[in-house]
mmCIF file with all atom_site columns, all heavy atoms in Angstrom:
data_model
loop_
_atom_site.group_PDB
_atom_site.id
_atom_site.type_symbol
_atom_site.label_atom_id
_atom_site.label_alt_id
_atom_site.label_comp_id
_atom_site.label_asym_id
_atom_site.label_entity_id
_atom_site.label_seq_id
_atom_site.pdbx_PDB_ins_code
_atom_site.Cartn_x
_atom_site.Cartn_y
_atom_site.Cartn_z
_atom_site.occupancy
_atom_site.B_iso_or_equiv
_atom_site.pdbx_formal_charge
_atom_site.auth_seq_id
_atom_site.auth_comp_id
_atom_site.auth_asym_id
_atom_site.auth_atom_id
_atom_site.pdbx_PDB_model_num
ATOM 1   N N   . ALA A 1 93  ? -3.402 51.582 114.731 1.00 0.00 ? 113 ALA A N   1
ATOM 2   C CA  . ALA A 1 93  ? -1.999 51.445 114.357 1.00 0.00 ? 113 ALA A CA  1
ATOM 3   C C   . ALA A 1 93  ? -1.447 50.168 114.961 1.00 0.00 ? 113 ALA A C   1
ATOM 4   O O   . ALA A 1 93  ? -1.943 49.687 115.984 1.00 0.00 ? 113 ALA A O   1
ATOM 5   C CB  . ALA A 1 93  ? -1.188 52.651 114.823 1.00 0.00 ? 113 ALA A CB  1
ATOM 6   N N   . SER A 1 94  ? -0.426 49.625 114.327 1.00 0.00 ? 114 SER A N   1
ATOM 7   C CA  . SER A 1 94  ? 0.230  48.460 114.906 1.00 0.00 ? 114 SER A CA  1
ATOM 8   C C   . SER A 1 94  ? 1.742  48.628 114.812 1.00 0.00 ? 114 SER A C   1
ATOM 9   O O   . SER A 1 94  ? 2.245  49.375 113.972 1.00 0.00 ? 114 SER A O   1
ATOM 10  C CB  . SER A 1 94  ? -0.213 47.160 114.216 1.00 0.00 ? 114 SER A CB  1
ATOM 11  O OG  . SER A 1 94  ? 0.295  47.078 112.887 1.00 0.00 ? 114 SER A OG  1
ATOM 12  N N   . SER A 1 95  ? 2.428  47.964 115.697 1.00 0.00 ? 115 SER A N   1
ATOM 13  C CA  . SER A 1 95  ? 3.885  47.983 115.655 1.00 0.00 ? 115 SER A CA  1
ATOM 14  C C   . SER A 1 95  ? 4.414  46.632 116.073 1.00 0.00 ? 115 SER A C   1
ATOM 15  O O   . SER A 1 95  ? 3.706  45.828 116.692 1.00 0.00 ? 115 SER A O   1
ATOM 16  C CB  . SER A 1 95  ? 4.467  49.095 116.534 1.00 0.00 ? 115 SER A CB  1
ATOM 17  O OG  . SER A 1 95  ? 4.225  48.846 117.900 1.00 0.00 ? 115 SER A OG  1
ATOM 18  N N   . LEU A 1 96  ? 5.682  46.395 115.756 1.00 0.00 ? 116 LEU A N   1
ATOM 19  C CA  . LEU A 1 96  ? 6.255  45.077 115.959 1.00 0.00 ? 116 LEU A CA  1
ATOM 20  C C   . LEU A 1 96  ? 6.393  44.740 117.434 1.00 0.00 ? 116 LEU A C   1
ATOM 21  O O   . LEU A 1 96  ? 6.105  43.644 117.869 1.00 0.00 ? 116 LEU A O   1
ATOM 22  C CB  . LEU A 1 96  ? 7.619  45.007 115.269 1.00 0.00 ? 116 LEU A CB  1
ATOM 23  C CG  . LEU A 1 96  ? 8.246  43.626 115.132 1.00 0.00 ? 116 LEU A CG  1
ATOM 24  C CD1 . LEU A 1 96  ? 7.307  42.675 114.403 1.00 0.00 ? 116 LEU A CD1 1
ATOM 25  C CD2 . LEU A 1 96  ? 9.566  43.726 114.390 1.00 0.00 ? 116 LEU A CD2 1
ATOM 26  N N   . MET A 1 97  ? 6.810  45.722 118.219 1.00 0.00 ? 117 MET A N   1
ATOM 27  C CA  . MET A 1 97  ? 7.063  45.429 119.619 1.00 0.00 ? 117 MET A CA  1
ATOM 28  C C   . MET A 1 97  ? 6.286  46.330 120.571 1.00 0.00 ? 117 MET A C   1
ATOM 29  O O   . MET A 1 97  ? 5.958  45.943 121.671 1.00 0.00 ? 117 MET A O   1
ATOM 30  C CB  . MET A 1 97  ? 8.556  45.537 119.919 1.00 0.00 ? 117 MET A CB  1
ATOM 31  C CG  . MET A 1 97  ? 9.393  44.505 119.214 1.00 0.00 ? 117 MET A CG  1
ATOM 32  S SD  . MET A 1 97  ? 11.151 44.736 119.511 1.00 0.00 ? 117 MET A SD  1
ATOM 33  C CE  . MET A 1 97  ? 11.233 44.460 121.271 1.00 0.00 ? 117 MET A CE  1
ATOM 34  N N   . GLY A 1 98  ? 6.028  47.557 120.162 1.00 0.00 ? 118 GLY A N   1
ATOM 35  C CA  . GLY A 1 98  ? 5.285  48.468 121.020 1.00 0.00 ? 118 GLY A CA  1
ATOM 36  C C   . GLY A 1 98  ? 6.142  49.601 121.525 1.00 0.00 ? 118 GLY A C   1
ATOM 37  O O   . GLY A 1 98  ? 5.983  50.741 121.127 1.00 0.00 ? 118 GLY A O   1
ATOM 38  N N   . GLN A 1 99  ? 7.083  49.278 122.375 1.00 0.00 ? 119 GLN A N   1
ATOM 39  C CA  . GLN A 1 99  ? 7.891  50.336 122.964 1.00 0.00 ? 119 GLN A CA  1
ATOM 40  C C   . GLN A 1 99  ? 9.054  50.707 122.047 1.00 0.00 ? 119 GLN A C   1
ATOM 41  O O   . GLN A 1 99  ? 9.797  49.862 121.606 1.00 0.00 ? 119 GLN A O   1
ATOM 42  C CB  . GLN A 1 99  ? 8.464  49.859 124.297 1.00 0.00 ? 119 GLN A CB  1
ATOM 43  C CG  . GLN A 1 99  ? 7.428  49.684 125.366 1.00 0.00 ? 119 GLN A CG  1
ATOM 44  C CD  . GLN A 1 99  ? 8.072  49.178 126.645 1.00 0.00 ? 119 GLN A CD  1
ATOM 45  O OE1 . GLN A 1 99  ? 8.744  48.158 126.645 1.00 0.00 ? 119 GLN A OE1 1
ATOM 46  N NE2 . GLN A 1 99  ? 7.883  49.903 127.710 1.00 0.00 ? 119 GLN A NE2 1
ATOM 47  N N   . GLY A 1 100 ? 9.160  51.993 121.794 1.00 0.00 ? 120 GLY A N   1
ATOM 48  C CA  . GLY A 1 100 ? 10.323 52.452 121.066 1.00 0.00 ? 120 GLY A CA  1
ATOM 49  C C   . GLY A 1 100 ? 10.422 51.962 119.643 1.00 0.00 ? 120 GLY A C   1
ATOM 50  O O   . GLY A 1 100 ? 11.506 51.842 119.097 1.00 0.00 ? 120 GLY A O   1
ATOM 51  N N   . THR A 1 101 ? 9.269  51.655 119.069 1.00 0.00 ? 121 THR A N   1
ATOM 52  C CA  . THR A 1 101 ? 9.274  51.245 117.663 1.00 0.00 ? 121 THR A CA  1
ATOM 53  C C   . THR A 1 101 ? 8.189  51.986 116.913 1.00 0.00 ? 121 THR A C   1
ATOM 54  O O   . THR A 1 101 ? 7.178  52.385 117.477 1.00 0.00 ? 121 THR A O   1
ATOM 55  C CB  . THR A 1 101 ? 9.058  49.732 117.493 1.00 0.00 ? 121 THR A CB  1
ATOM 56  O OG1 . THR A 1 101 ? 7.806  49.371 118.086 1.00 0.00 ? 121 THR A OG1 1
ATOM 57  C CG2 . THR A 1 101 ? 10.178 48.938 118.128 1.00 0.00 ? 121 THR A CG2 1
ATOM 58  N N   . GLU A 1 102 ? 8.412  52.091 115.615 1.00 0.00 ? 122 GLU A N   1
ATOM 59  C CA  . GLU A 1 102 ? 7.500  52.809 114.748 1.00 0.00 ? 122 GLU A CA  1
ATOM 60  C C   . GLU A 1 102 ? 6.140  52.138 114.692 1.00 0.00 ? 122 GLU A C   1
ATOM 61  O O   . GLU A 1 102 ? 6.034  50.919 114.631 1.00 0.00 ? 122 GLU A O   1
ATOM 62  C CB  . GLU A 1 102 ? 8.115  52.857 113.358 1.00 0.00 ? 122 GLU A CB  1
ATOM 63  C CG  . GLU A 1 102 ? 7.222  53.358 112.254 1.00 0.00 ? 122 GLU A CG  1
ATOM 64  C CD  . GLU A 1 102 ? 7.812  53.046 110.904 1.00 0.00 ? 122 GLU A CD  1
ATOM 65  O OE1 . GLU A 1 102 ? 8.954  52.560 110.851 1.00 0.00 ? 122 GLU A OE1 1
ATOM 66  O OE2 . GLU A 1 102 ? 7.115  53.274 109.911 1.00 0.00 ? 122 GLU A OE2 1
ATOM 67  N N   . ALA A 1 103 ? 5.095  52.927 114.714 1.00 0.00 ? 123 ALA A N   1
ATOM 68  C CA  . ALA A 1 103 ? 3.732  52.428 114.545 1.00 0.00 ? 123 ALA A CA  1
ATOM 69  C C   . ALA A 1 103 ? 3.238  52.766 113.148 1.00 0.00 ? 123 ALA A C   1
ATOM 70  O O   . ALA A 1 103 ? 3.450  53.871 112.665 1.00 0.00 ? 123 ALA A O   1
ATOM 71  C CB  . ALA A 1 103 ? 2.813  53.037 115.600 1.00 0.00 ? 123 ALA A CB  1
ATOM 72  N N   . PHE A 1 104 ? 2.581  51.797 112.524 1.00 0.00 ? 124 PHE A N   1
ATOM 73  C CA  . PHE A 1 104 ? 2.013  51.967 111.189 1.00 0.00 ? 124 PHE A CA  1
ATOM 74  C C   . PHE A 1 104 ? 0.504  52.141 111.328 1.00 0.00 ? 124 PHE A C   1
ATOM 75  O O   . PHE A 1 104 ? -0.153 51.340 111.987 1.00 0.00 ? 124 PHE A O   1
ATOM 76  C CB  . PHE A 1 104 ? 2.313  50.744 110.325 1.00 0.00 ? 124 PHE A CB  1
ATOM 77  C CG  . PHE A 1 104 ? 3.776  50.545 110.045 1.00 0.00 ? 124 PHE A CG  1
ATOM 78  C CD1 . PHE A 1 104 ? 4.583  49.893 110.969 1.00 0.00 ? 124 PHE A CD1 1
ATOM 79  C CD2 . PHE A 1 104 ? 4.341  50.992 108.864 1.00 0.00 ? 124 PHE A CD2 1
ATOM 80  C CE1 . PHE A 1 104 ? 5.932  49.702 110.717 1.00 0.00 ? 124 PHE A CE1 1
ATOM 81  C CE2 . PHE A 1 104 ? 5.686  50.791 108.606 1.00 0.00 ? 124 PHE A CE2 1
ATOM 82  C CZ  . PHE A 1 104 ? 6.490  50.157 109.542 1.00 0.00 ? 124 PHE A CZ  1
ATOM 83  N N   . PHE A 1 105 ? -0.036 53.145 110.644 1.00 0.00 ? 125 PHE A N   1
ATOM 84  C CA  . PHE A 1 105 ? -1.442 53.469 110.779 1.00 0.00 ? 125 PHE A CA  1
ATOM 85  C C   . PHE A 1 105 ? -2.276 52.953 109.616 1.00 0.00 ? 125 PHE A C   1
ATOM 86  O O   . PHE A 1 105 ? -1.802 52.876 108.473 1.00 0.00 ? 125 PHE A O   1
ATOM 87  C CB  . PHE A 1 105 ? -1.625 54.991 110.856 1.00 0.00 ? 125 PHE A CB  1
ATOM 88  C CG  . PHE A 1 105 ? -1.319 55.567 112.199 1.00 0.00 ? 125 PHE A CG  1
ATOM 89  C CD1 . PHE A 1 105 ? -0.016 55.868 112.558 1.00 0.00 ? 125 PHE A CD1 1
ATOM 90  C CD2 . PHE A 1 105 ? -2.332 55.803 113.116 1.00 0.00 ? 125 PHE A CD2 1
ATOM 91  C CE1 . PHE A 1 105 ? 0.279  56.395 113.805 1.00 0.00 ? 125 PHE A CE1 1
ATOM 92  C CE2 . PHE A 1 105 ? -2.054 56.331 114.359 1.00 0.00 ? 125 PHE A CE2 1
ATOM 93  C CZ  . PHE A 1 105 ? -0.748 56.621 114.704 1.00 0.00 ? 125 PHE A CZ  1
ATOM 94  N N   . GLY A 1 106 ? -3.528 52.656 109.921 1.00 0.00 ? 126 GLY A N   1
ATOM 95  C CA  . GLY A 1 106 ? -4.517 52.399 108.896 1.00 0.00 ? 126 GLY A CA  1
ATOM 96  C C   . GLY A 1 106 ? -5.089 53.711 108.391 1.00 0.00 ? 126 GLY A C   1
ATOM 97  O O   . GLY A 1 106 ? -4.689 54.796 108.829 1.00 0.00 ? 126 GLY A O   1
ATOM 98  N N   . GLN A 1 107 ? -6.036 53.600 107.468 1.00 0.00 ? 127 GLN A N   1
ATOM 99  C CA  . GLN A 1 107 ? -6.644 54.792 106.865 1.00 0.00 ? 127 GLN A CA  1
ATOM 100 C C   . GLN A 1 107 ? -7.703 55.407 107.763 1.00 0.00 ? 127 GLN A C   1
ATOM 101 O O   . GLN A 1 107 ? -8.113 56.537 107.545 1.00 0.00 ? 127 GLN A O   1
ATOM 102 C CB  . GLN A 1 107 ? -7.270 54.436 105.516 1.00 0.00 ? 127 GLN A CB  1
ATOM 103 C CG  . GLN A 1 107 ? -6.279 53.938 104.491 1.00 0.00 ? 127 GLN A CG  1
ATOM 104 C CD  . GLN A 1 107 ? -5.434 55.044 103.898 1.00 0.00 ? 127 GLN A CD  1
ATOM 105 O OE1 . GLN A 1 107 ? -4.602 55.626 104.580 1.00 0.00 ? 127 GLN A OE1 1
ATOM 106 N NE2 . GLN A 1 107 ? -5.645 55.347 102.635 1.00 0.00 ? 127 GLN A NE2 1
#
Side-chain angles (χ1 to χ4, degrees):
Chain A
S114 70
S115 67
L116 192 56
M117 294 176 64
Q119 291 179 305
T121 59
E122 170 194 353
F124 295 84
F125 281 83
Q127 298 285 69

